[in-house]
Amino acid sequence: MKPVLAVEDLTVTIGTRRGPAHAVAGVDWAVRPGETLALVGESGSGKSMSVLAATGLAPRTARVTGRVHLHDTELTGLTEERRRRLRGRHIGFVFQDPMTSLNPVLTVGRQVTEAAEEHLALTRRAARSRAVELLDLVGIPSAGQRVDAYPHQFSGGMRQRVVIAMALACEPDLLIADEPTTALDVTTQAQIVELVADLQQRLGTAVVWITHDLGVVAGIADTVAVMYGGRILEQGPVDAVFGAPSHPYTGALLAARPDPAAGGGDLVTIAGAPPSPLDLPAGCAFWPRCPVRGDARCEHELPPLVPVSAGHQVRTFYPKPSDGERR
Amino acid sequence: MARFVIRRLLQSAVVLLGVTVVVFLLLQLVPGDPVRVALGTRFDPQTYEALRARAGLDQPLVVQYFDYLRRALTGDLGVSFRSGRPVTAIVLERLPATLSLAVTAVVFAMLIAFPLGIVSAIRSGSLVDHAARVFSQFGVSVPDFWMGIMGILLFSGVLGWLPPSGYVALTEDPGRWASHVALPAATVGLVTASILTRFIRSSMLEVLSEDYVRTAEAKGLRTRVVVLRHVLRNALIPVVTVVAVQLASLLGGVIVIEVLFAWPGIGRLTYDAVAARDYPVLQGAVLLVAALFLLVNLLVDVLYARLDPRITVK
Ligand SMILES: Nc1ncnc2c1ncn2[C@@H]1O[C@H](COP(=O)(O)OP(=O)(O)O)[C@@H](O)[C@H]1O
Ligand code: SF4
Ligand SMILES: [Mg+2]
């Protein structure tokens, strides 16, 4: 099946006072209809910037190169005006913090259907009943009354449901959720994950889910891409990547996961800090922290992304052999 | 909302009551005998006694105050020491001139400041932004009387488009009113516009970096919609206060400008009353300005509640 959104060799360089920041340094991924792609990685690894830049939402000071295809349309070559018409219409966004991502002075109903008014030329009247329908869809009780309420009258979890309703207003082919549960408490997190999974089933929407919660990835994603220092270090089907992590970083991340069997308290962390986007190393970005560290090549030469099994690729000179059996 | 307005009106009445105490005491603070001081060289025993009795100065202080208050409530603010005319009439005569100058100046300022502030925020660092900064700097640093004089020299002297000074009531002749108000209002308005432009720009910039603006952009809304519906509506909330403060200070009178343009406003009246030591008129002018301040405040509160749903109106 052809991808809904495919990103090829995407780079994002942001001009800053201290020089160019290489927030994204060449990234490839694709998400197919109905599928979920998880982008994981430490904070600052370029997850958000890669999806924002792909859809024309990068900051004004950013320079974006590469190719991005939404179905058959190449986005980076389009004028901002044409990109704008596709954004919101074919791609819906859910951002991290529902406390700040809604406009405090507009009713939730208005915010939910704005995109539909813009892209589908819905009348205000039709938009209102559509808003009620959408709020109902995302599980907001007595949607008929709540449609006229303001964001501050909702709890965090309910606001995130509003944001999801908003993202789905034009029945997009793709939903991009950037750490949609990070700002929520644990119980609410689970509800939101379940809601999105359920909506995806019913609507057949493709999802790009950015998270650092590997537990969620295992639960909902079909494919996963592990990002580090603006690049993808390992990607492939979730079963393959999690079952047989080939990159030392993926292995360390999985080991750093709080282990429920050990009472969840024994968190192993990876020593050291990720590289600065202002000063990306010439060689392997993980080199300073890598437990494997094969030879001098690691430090001076960028390892290519190489296949280890079907659809499973890894960027290291020393992949852990994967036979698909070992756990 | 109606209950909110009524409650705020009652609060304003209480404040105004406090103002009457202050205004009343103003007369007591004058060293010596205010009537004698006011009369100065025009002193003659008959006028002196009449004015003293009329002002009730022969009574105990508390009695004097309640007397003053009782009369003030019926609209009687005493008589001028100078002309002997009722203060209420003198003060109210000045209201149209003051209102028309203040409102025209603020409208003029907003017409400049909103487009300039909005554009310089969304195009920050652009040529327009730099031009706006130069304009603001000019407006706040050049003295208003100097701008007024330059305005008179240019538009009245060289070009002959506008009268150099004077006032015509709006009700009398709107066209001539406009030509007379244009120069003083533009002079005062330029200063206000400079202050407002800066404020609108920074308020807009602050809102532009909010998450919900990115949300609006992610929806694929037109720039115009994002800027007007999402950014401006939020940026407006603090701006309302600044506009109100500016309006209130103009209603309090812009003495230099009123003197320069021979504008018969409250500022001019206050100036003259102080110079002539005409205390009842001064009292009346202060009271009126206080009432106008309170009214503007009330309008701001109502506007706030309309703009920001997080403010509960109860
Ligand atoms: N507006 C910006 N200006 C300069 N650098 C930025 C800006 N936004 C993000 N970055 C940098 O880009 C890198 C990637 O950021 P981001 O994509 O937000 O990371 P993630 O979402 O993975 O946590 C970070 O190192 C961050 O410091
Ligand atoms: S390339 Fe070398 S340094 Fe980098 S992850 Fe692989 S083994 Fe470690
Ligand atoms: Mg992020």
Side-chain angles (χ1 to χ4, degrees):
Chain A
M1 228 182 322
K2 286 186 75 171
V4 180
L5 191 72
V7 166
E8 284 170 77
D9 198 21
L10 182 76
T11 75
V12 183
T13 313
I14 307 169
T16 73
R17 247 175 261 137
R18 293 186 295 138
H22 302 277
V24 180
V27 153
D28 295 71
W29 48 252
V31 57
R32 274 161 246 285
E35 259 187 21
T36 299
L37 162 71
L39 290 181
V40 301
E42 280 167 281
S43 176
S45 56
K47 307 181 295 293
S48 300
M49 203 48 71
S50 63
V51 295
L52 292 175
T55 52
L57 290 173
R60 272 200 298 169
T61 48
R63 204 171 66 86
V64 179
T65 69
R67 288 163 306 280
V68 177
H69 281 92
L70 175 68
H71 297 294
D72 291 325
T73 316
E74 206 286 311
L75 298 183
T76 58
L78 293 183
T79 59
E80 169 51 25
E81 172 59 17
R82 298 235 5 238
R83 238 187 340 248
R84 173 186 78 70
R85 287 191 208 163
L86 298 171
R87 206 165 49 220
R89 170 68 191 88
H90 297 288
I91 307 172
F93 290 84
V94 178
F95 294 109
Q96 182 168 340
D97 189 353
M99 302 314 264
T100 58
S101 55
L102 287 168
N103 187 330
V105 305
L106 298 177
T107 64
V108 297
R110 192 74 214 283
Q111 295 186 65
V112 162
T113 52
E114 263 188 317
E117 284 170 49
E118 169 67 37
H119 302 294
L120 309 178
L122 231 58
T123 61
R124 283 290 279 274
R125 185 96 165 270
R128 205 190 129 85
S129 55
R130 175 85 178 122
V132 176
E133 204 178 289
L134 283 160
L135 291 176
D136 199 50
L137 179 74
V138 298
I140 288 180
S142 38
Q145 284 133 45
R146 301 296 272 157
V147 67
D148 293 321
Y150 289 92
H152 72 275
Q153 296 164 316
F154 290 79
S155 69
M158 284 297 154
R159 286 196 207 190
Q160 200 60 306
R161 286 175 193 261
V162 170
V163 176
I164 293 168
M166 203 162 78
L168 296 174
C170 296
E171 300 182 345
D173 314 310
L174 174 65
L175 189 69
I176 294 180
D178 189 350
E179 306 203 29
T181 62
T182 307
L184 304 172
D185 64 72
V186 180
T187 333
T188 318
Q189 283 186 6
Q191 289 168 356
I192 295 294
V193 170
E194 199 178 318
L195 173 68
V196 174
D198 175 52
L199 289 171
Q200 181 179 23
Q201 285 270 307
R202 282 156 67 182
L203 308 173
T205 320
V207 175
V208 173
W209 188 294
I210 296 177
T211 180
H212 48 242
D213 186 339
L214 297 179
V216 169
V217 177
I220 61 163
D222 301 297
T223 56
V224 57
V226 179
M227 286 193 71
Y228 189 85
R231 291 197 176 88
I232 289 173
L233 296 190
E234 181 161 7
Q235 69 181 348
V238 171
D239 294 342
V241 174
F242 280 21
S246 291
H247 196 285
Y249 179 60
T250 316
L253 266 188
L254 287 167
R257 208 154 36 135
D259 184 0
D266 200 9
L267 184 74
V268 190
T269 51
I270 310 167
S276 159
L278 291 166
D279 185 24
L280 283 185
C284 173
F286 192 52
W287 183 79
R289 302 166 82 183
C290 182
V292 177
R293 260 202 219 184
D295 56 27
R297 226 174 20 145
C298 293
E299 190 184 353
H300 301 292
E301 206 179 304
L302 182 69
L305 202 57
V306 293
V308 282
S309 66
H312 183 179
Q313 298 160 304
V314 62
R315 189 188 290 281
T316 173
F317 292 119
Y318 296 92
K320 209 168 169 182
S322 139
D323 51 23
E325 295 294 308
R326 261 190 9 207
R327 286 283 138 124
Chain B
M1 188 57 109
R3 282 186 52 193
F4 169 75
V5 172
I6 289 168
R7 211 186 47 163
R8 290 289 284 104
L9 274 174
L10 288 176
Q11 282 172 0
S12 303
V14 173
V15 176
L16 209 54
L17 198 67
V19 175
T20 61
V21 174
V22 175
V23 160
F24 172 74
L25 288 177
L26 189 75
L27 204 60
Q28 311 301 322
L29 288 176
V30 179
D33 184 335
V35 179
R36 192 179 290 272
V37 172
L39 286 176
T41 54
R42 292 181 305 135
F43 182 84
D44 84 83
Q46 226 172 337
T47 325
Y48 175 75
E49 284 310 323
L51 279 177
R52 260 190 81 81
R54 181 72 177 82
L57 291 177
D58 40 3
Q59 303 284 322
L61 210 60
V62 180
V63 175
Q64 280 185 42
Y65 171 69
F66 281 105
D67 234 39
Y68 174 75
L69 189 62
R70 188 174 43 78
R71 279 201 249 112
L73 283 176
T74 61
D76 176 5
L77 295 173
V79 294
S80 161
F81 284 173
R82 264 288 135 108
S83 62
R85 293 182 54 220
V87 169
T88 310
I90 294 177
V91 169
L92 287 182
E93 268 166 25
R94 302 299 183 108
L95 199 55
T98 288
L99 277 180
S100 54
L101 179 56
V103 171
T104 312
V106 167
V107 168
F108 175 80
M110 290 199 293
L111 287 178
I112 294 178
F114 271 99
L116 208 54
I118 291 171
V119 172
S120 60
I122 55 181
R123 299 253 175 283
S124 80
S126 70
L127 213 62
V128 176
D129 187 23
H130 289 302
R133 185 164 316 138
V134 171
F135 164 77
S136 296
Q137 195 56 49
F138 176 83
V140 293
S141 43
V142 174
D144 52 0
F145 68 86
W146 187 83
M147 267 198 273
I149 292 169
M150 290 302 132
I152 293 174
L153 287 178
L154 179 63
F155 292 101
S156 179
V158 177
L159 299 169
W161 291 349
L162 297 168
S165 67
Y167 167 74
V168 175
L170 176 64
T171 46
E172 194 180 303
D173 184 341
R176 290 186 58 219
W177 168 82
S179 70
H180 281 86
V181 82
L183 268 181
T187 307
V188 178
L190 272 180
V191 179
T192 306
S194 317
I195 298 168
L196 262 185
T197 302
R198 281 186 179 187
F199 202 84
I200 291 168
R201 177 183 184 270
S202 69
S203 185
M204 288 282 295
L205 276 178
E206 198 166 303
V207 176
L208 274 168
S209 67
E210 293 283 352
D211 282 355
Y212 56 78
V213 175
R214 186 187 51 190
T215 308
E217 279 168 351
K219 285 180 195 171
L221 303 178
R222 287 151 211 267
T223 308
R224 187 171 45 83
V225 175
V226 173
V227 169
L228 296 182
R229 190 187 297 159
H230 289 270
V231 183
L232 187 60
R233 284 238 11 213
N234 282 281
L236 218 52
I237 296 169
V239 169
V240 165
T241 314
V242 180
V243 173
V245 168
Q246 292 297 318
L247 180 64
S249 75
L250 297 187
L251 287 173
V254 270
I255 295 176
V256 176
I257 295 301
E258 287 182 12
V259 171
L260 179 64
F261 287 96
W263 194 261
I266 290 179
R268 185 69 202 268
L269 181 69
T270 313
Y271 175 77
D272 290 342
V274 170
R277 291 188 287 275
D278 195 345
Y279 300 109
V281 171
L282 186 57
Q283 282 179 318
V286 171
L287 213 54
L288 179 67
V289 170
L292 290 174
F293 261 71
L294 289 170
L295 192 68
V296 170
N297 242 304
L298 177 68
L299 288 178
V300 168
D301 285 350
V302 170
L303 215 55
Y304 249 99
R306 290 207 66 95
L307 285 173
D308 191 345
R310 286 165 296 186
I311 295 173
T312 42
V313 176
K314 275 200 208 89

